[in-house]
Amino acid sequence: MITVTAARKHYGSFLALDDVDIDIPSGSLTALLGPSGSGKSTLLRAIAGLEGLDGGTVTIDGRDVTAEPPQRRGIGFVFQHYAAFKHMTVRDNVAFGLTIRKRPKAEIAKKVDDLLEIVGLDGFQHRYPAQLSGGQRQRMALARALAVDPQVLLLDEPFGALDAKVRTDLRQWLRRLHDEVHVTTVLVTHDQEEALDVADRIAVLNHGRIEQVGDPVTLYERPANDFVMGFLGSVASLGGQLVRPHDIVLERDHAAALALDAKVADSPGVITATVERVVPLGFEVRVDLRADSGERFAAQITRRDAAELGLREGETIHARATSRSTVVDHDPALAI
Amino acid sequence: MRVGTGTRITLRVLALGYLFVLVAVPIGVILWRAFEPGLATFIASISTPAAISALNLSLLIVAIVVPLNVVFGVVTALALVRGRFRGRGLLQAVVDLPFAVSPIVVGVSLIMLWGVNGWFGAIDRAGFQVIFGLPGMVLATIFVTLPFVVREVEPVLHEIGTEQEQAASTLGADRWQTFWRITLPAIRWGLTYGVVLTVARALGEFGAVIMVSSGFPGVSQTLTLLVHARYIDDHNTYGAYAAATLLMGIALLVLLLMTLLDRKRSDR
Ligand SMILES: Nc1ncnc2c1ncn2[C@@H]1O[C@H](COP(=O)(O)OP(=O)(O)OP(=O)(O)O)[C@@H](O)[C@H]1O
Ligand SMILES: [Mg+2]
């Protein structure tokens, strides 16, 4: 369990962490999610001890480590740009932490070989980092961090520098690894899909504050505010409220739309709009609309519904949110 | 820019010709003149008592100056690249000063400082001779070679950044361990090159050293001073060529040794 209490960090006059409190349960995989500059890396590096705090405390498994240097915090850290030791072979990289701890040679050799097998780098022992691909380097960095049996594993956008395919593969792999090893893991990312995909808890950061912490379903379905809602998935603004595009129903008949709407107490009502574009996205179809008020929004409907409606550009249509939709009042101050 | 074949060949010939005339020919002439009368004459000329003593003195100065410059150079480069302190700009300028100041001026200022009538003259009067002794020559050599290690290591430090060191610290390494295992190996090429330049300059320094050396053959004559003395004072042209050849040989040997050492270490 990692507990951060009232963490504060200034860079000059800029406030990068603004009284951040967060608990990260043992064995969880928590994602720190937020836009660029929101303080994710700063928070992670403060947990690691790579960045000092101006105020607040960090405890790891009940031990107050606020004043401890990184080497005494029992952590493993993975950097976005790998931070591979360029002058060492893959084996020496992975063995580094154990060599520092002066473990017996045989034990080191066995552990390194085991780890390299787990990360799929068996047979690469004698290569140098320059002779590896980005994905392989990052797996080496992971093995290196895991070699010292850290109490917590901290990853700062570990897949950020990799191409999309490798990135999805590696994060699936990280998830499976976590299911096997169960080390408390904190993953920084600005990619909501990545957070939803691998994490069992997500903390959303904005301007150095934590907006909401919870499991992915809660955050997606019951966002605390429109920042969280907007950051976890796409949103449409419908009559001053935010809804998910796939929660919008389109009806040709205004009366039918109204009739359905009557059953919904807290919905934005029926909006009359003009179809601007119909974009097929495979299984779903995105309909770009412009309300009579001039406001633009998009609805996402199934292929079948789209076929039944037979929408054409320039036509008028009636839109409303479904009854079970996620709705958040729009607060311009929190807009992204 | 597209360059025609004719132009390209002309440029190449010019560049090579320039190097040849200005560097290769003078060195070639010295080598040729040194070995012309035969190897035995050459060896006889470089094994006179004065020559052997000069060689020893030069090597001794190198042996004192290089470790000092390595330690100071690495520490200074670290401070310049990593440090955020007032006066960093000033330090930058001071490090370059030896490049800007003529070696003769260095010699003169050393005499003014350490000579019998200088600021620190009391040390000399107390019996510890700085000027016209080994300490003076070492000081002069340190002054003129000071920038090499700093300036070679600095860009490498910039390039490697601090991430590898941070990674090492998260893996349990303290500052010393991080320095020895991560930083030093990462800057070793720059350091090697800085040392080679320092050695070459320390062996070859003339202007600053001649000012603070008493120049007695067999006592306070470095190899470079010997070349000068043989040529100018003794009109022993051949002896000057032979000593100069020895000087070049040592510098080349150092270069070769450092390269080999480094290759061996990175092969490990
Ligand atoms: N060393 C520093 N000096 C000054 N300001 C800094 C420093 N490091 C970070 N900042 C500032 O602090 C804020 C938070 O930075 P941080 O690196 O934590 O953001 P982040 O959420 O990780 O963003 P990204 O997704 O772009 O990595 C940013 O506005 C950044 O400009
Ligand atoms: Mg970051």
Side-chain angles (χ1 to χ4, degrees):
Chain A
M1 169 108 155
I2 307 169
T3 309
V4 177
T5 320
R8 220 167 222 289
K9 174 76 185 175
H10 289 268
Y11 289 113
S13 62
F14 180 83
L15 191 55
L17 290 181
D18 186 1
D19 277 328
V20 169
D21 292 296
I22 186 173
D23 286 339
I24 291 155
S26 293
S28 74
L29 200 171
T30 301
L32 300 180
L33 177 67
S36 184
S38 56
K40 310 178 294 288
S41 297
T42 307
L43 178 56
L44 193 78
R45 294 168 63 83
I47 296 173
L50 294 170
E51 211 80 69
L53 286 175
D54 299 334
T57 57
V58 178
T59 64
I60 295 175
D61 289 345
R63 189 167 64 102
D64 186 343
V65 295
T66 317
E68 296 279 355
Q71 64 263 29
R72 285 204 288 272
R73 292 196 178 195
I75 52 154
F77 200 99
V78 175
F79 296 79
Q80 177 171 2
H81 298 288
Y82 328 122
F85 301 143
K86 295 200 180 78
H87 61 284
M88 294 183 195
T89 58
V90 169
R91 158 174 276 155
D92 291 343
N93 263 276
V94 177
F96 186 84
L98 298 168
T99 315
I100 289 287
R101 285 166 177 73
K102 302 209 168 54
R103 294 283 163 75
K105 277 220 162 60
E107 182 197 323
I108 296 179
K110 180 169 185 325
K111 182 130 199 190
V112 170
D113 286 343
D114 287 353
L115 275 165
L116 286 177
E117 193 170 334
I118 293 177
V119 301
L121 285 178
D122 212 12
F124 289 74
Q125 274 88 340
H126 299 292
R127 291 223 196 165
Y128 284 88
Q131 301 164 316
L132 300 180
S133 74
Q136 289 167 339
R137 268 179 234 177
Q138 199 56 301
R139 280 183 281 152
M140 178 193 83
L142 257 161
R144 184 176 73 179
L146 288 170
V148 297
D149 292 321
Q151 287 164 281
V152 299
L153 182 61
L154 309 170
L155 309 112
D156 191 354
E157 306 215 24
F159 313 131
L162 304 170
D163 72 56
K165 171 84 174 81
V166 181
R167 192 155 68 210
T168 20
D169 285 355
L170 268 185
R171 72 187 189 220
Q172 303 287 345
W173 175 84
L174 175 70
R175 179 70 232 187
R176 284 197 301 274
L177 184 78
H178 181 263
D179 292 340
E180 280 168 31
V181 185
H182 286 305
V183 56
T184 310
T185 304
V186 186
L187 170 89
V188 161
T189 177
H190 60 252
D191 178 353
Q192 45 98 6
E193 193 188 313
E194 184 162 291
L196 292 170
D197 191 2
V198 297
D200 37 48
R201 275 162 49 89
I202 299 176
V204 180
L205 269 88
N206 188 27
H207 295 311
R209 295 168 161 281
I210 293 198
E211 299 282 357
Q212 192 176 4
V213 186
D215 62 283
V217 176
T218 309
L219 258 67
Y220 192 83
E221 290 182 351
R222 291 199 300 283
N225 53 43
D226 62 352
F227 177 82
V228 175
M229 177 151 181
F231 209 78
L232 266 99
S234 41
V235 287
S237 170
L238 196 64
Q241 286 186 308
L242 296 180
V243 297
R244 300 266 181 230
H246 55 71
D247 282 341
I248 295 177
V249 181
L250 301 179
E251 296 280 357
R252 276 198 177 281
D253 181 5
H254 188 243
L258 263 182
L260 276 162
D261 187 50
K263 295 178 217 149
V264 187
D266 189 29
S267 86
V270 176
I271 303 283
T272 307
T274 315
V275 177
E276 290 204 314
R277 259 187 92 195
V278 180
V279 189
L281 301 171
F283 168 67
E284 290 193 313
V285 174
R286 193 183 81 218
V287 186
D288 292 344
L289 299 151
R290 196 181 47 172
D292 289 348
S293 63
E295 192 175 45
R296 285 197 162 80
F297 63 98
Q300 209 148 328
I301 58 177
T302 64
R303 235 187 139 73
R304 223 182 65 207
D305 288 350
E308 270 175 20
L309 282 167
L311 291 176
R312 270 185 228 293
E313 282 156 36
E315 285 180 335
T316 301
I317 198 92
H318 306 285
R320 57 163 189 79
T322 58
S323 50
R324 287 193 316 280
S325 61
T326 302
V327 180
V328 162
D329 285 327
H330 187 56
D331 174 0
L334 278 169
I336 310 169
Chain B
M1 190 176 70
R2 273 180 59 109
V3 184
T5 320
T7 328
R8 209 162 54 215
I9 289 175
T10 315
L11 280 174
R12 256 180 223 172
V13 168
L14 269 178
L16 286 177
Y18 185 82
L19 275 179
F20 188 73
V21 171
L22 287 172
V23 181
V25 170
I27 292 179
V29 166
I30 290 176
L31 282 179
W32 179 61
R33 294 295 295 272
F35 290 111
E36 197 189 10
L39 199 61
T41 324
F42 173 74
I43 290 177
S45 177
I46 60 166
S47 55
T48 64
I52 290 177
S53 143
L55 173 65
N56 284 339
L57 182 60
S58 280
L59 292 181
L60 178 63
I61 291 176
V62 166
I64 296 172
V65 166
V66 166
L68 287 175
N69 269 1
V70 165
V71 173
F72 169 83
V74 171
V75 171
T76 309
L78 277 169
L80 285 175
V81 175
R82 305 274 169 80
R84 293 281 166 270
F85 53 92
R86 287 162 62 96
R88 211 169 122 253
L90 192 71
L91 185 60
Q92 280 283 8
V94 168
V95 167
D96 278 336
L97 213 57
F99 281 155
V101 176
S102 161
I104 292 280
V105 177
V106 177
V108 171
S109 69
L110 281 177
I111 293 176
M112 276 163 55
L113 269 183
W114 299 93
V116 193
N117 300 314
W119 289 3
F120 306 142
I123 296 173
D124 202 299
R125 288 191 294 273
F128 184 76
Q129 197 181 24
V130 178
I131 300 301
F132 305 132
L134 179 66
M137 289 191 272
V138 167
L139 282 176
T141 310
I142 286 182
F143 190 97
V144 296
T145 55
L146 183 120
F148 292 117
V149 170
V150 182
R151 288 296 179 234
E152 291 302 325
V153 168
E154 212 186 335
V156 187
L157 276 176
H158 259 299
E159 194 198 304
I160 59 170
T162 52
E163 265 205 352
Q164 290 184 51
E165 293 171 15
Q166 291 178 1
S169 75
T170 63
L171 290 165
D174 61 32
R175 280 170 164 243
W176 261 125
Q177 289 168 323
T178 304
F179 178 78
W180 284 109
R181 289 166 185 268
I182 306 299
T183 318
L184 202 56
I187 61 173
R188 65 163 193 261
W189 271 115
L191 193 57
T192 302
Y193 203 58
V195 166
V196 169
L197 289 175
T198 304
V199 171
R201 182 69 194 263
L203 285 173
E205 179 52 31
F206 176 71
V209 171
I210 198 167
M211 295 296 293
V212 296
S213 161
S214 51
F216 290 130
V219 181
S220 55
Q221 215 171 36
T222 64
L223 212 42
T224 303
L225 294 184
L226 179 75
V227 174
H228 178 253
R230 277 182 172 180
Y231 198 88
I232 303 291
D233 305 334
D234 310 344
H235 304 291
N236 175 4
T237 332
Y238 177 73
Y241 288 143
T245 303
L246 176 63
L247 205 53
M248 271 194 313
I250 299 171
L252 280 178
L253 204 70
V254 169
L255 187 65
L256 201 74
L257 212 72
M258 293 299 274
T259 317
L260 284 181
L261 253 169
D262 224 278
R263 180 150 323 145
K264 211 165 169 183
R265 224 176 8 179
S266 55
D267 278 355
R268 192 186 50 184

